[in-house]
Amino acid sequence: MTAGASQGPFERVCVLGAGLIGGSVARRLAGLGVDVVVVDPDAHARDLATASGLVAAEQVPADRDLVVLSTPLDALPEALAAAGAAAPGAVLIDLGSVKQAPAQAAAAAGLSGRYVGVHPMAGTEHTGFAHADPDLLVDVSWAVVDDGASPVAGVVDWVVETFEAT
């Protein structure tokens, strides 16, 4: 895929969590010319993201149409609710390895119609933004949970187009 190519229905993306997986997503999107903002509570992670050429912020911007949550599982319920409130028009996806607890957290926050559980089947033994790789999640299988009420089709299109997913 070339820079500026279609990214499905999502033109303004926020990646919440600048670790290995979130950083890899952000770096892939930036390389494709997508308007992406990285948000992380850790100033060092934001500094690393900025040093790599990404835009970093402390808060989820309100104008995002997709928020990709790549946080530790124990932080996900609070992060999901905060992201949903901060970007009221955004579709929310999480990249964690489990889906029942995040789906329950989305429902508890009134976000079920905007939440899609997603999980790339890839990673490394390393952690943190310093090891983020824009090609890490390319051409791998992704799990996408369809609850029948959320915008799954747009998310699947985005995953396939952005990451050449299988």
Side-chain angles (χ1 to χ4, degrees):
M1 185 176 299
T2 60
S6 171
Q7 299 306 306
F10 309 115
E11 297 176 5
R12 294 171 315 278
V13 180
C14 175
V15 177
L16 180 54
L20 173 69
I21 301 298
S24 295
V25 169
R27 291 187 67 201
R28 174 73 177 175
L29 293 172
L32 294 171
V34 175
D35 176 357
V36 60
V37 174
V38 175
V39 172
D40 197 287
D42 181 62
H44 180 66
R46 291 191 309 272
D47 290 345
L48 289 173
T50 301
S52 76
L54 295 168
V55 174
E58 291 185 39
Q59 303 286 332
V60 174
D63 67 344
R64 302 291 99 175
D65 43 33
L66 177 68
V67 177
V68 178
L69 292 105
S70 185
T71 64
L73 292 174
D74 61 343
L76 189 57
E78 184 179 333
L80 186 61
V91 170
L92 308 164
I93 67 173
D94 88 280
L95 303 179
S97 59
V98 299
K99 296 296 149 217
Q100 185 174 7
Q104 290 171 341
L111 302 169
S112 294
R114 297 170 48 199
Y115 168 78
V116 179
V118 178
H119 182 62
M121 302 301 172
T124 73
E125 69 277 14
H126 302 291
T127 61
F129 187 85
H131 299 286
D133 178 347
D135 295 324
L136 178 67
L137 307 176
V138 174
D139 197 28
V140 301
S141 295
W142 287 62
V144 180
V145 178
D146 184 356
D147 67 0
S150 59
V152 170
V155 171
V156 168
D157 288 347
W158 178 78
V159 167
V160 170
E161 291 177 17
T162 303
F163 298 98
E164 303 167 25
T166 58

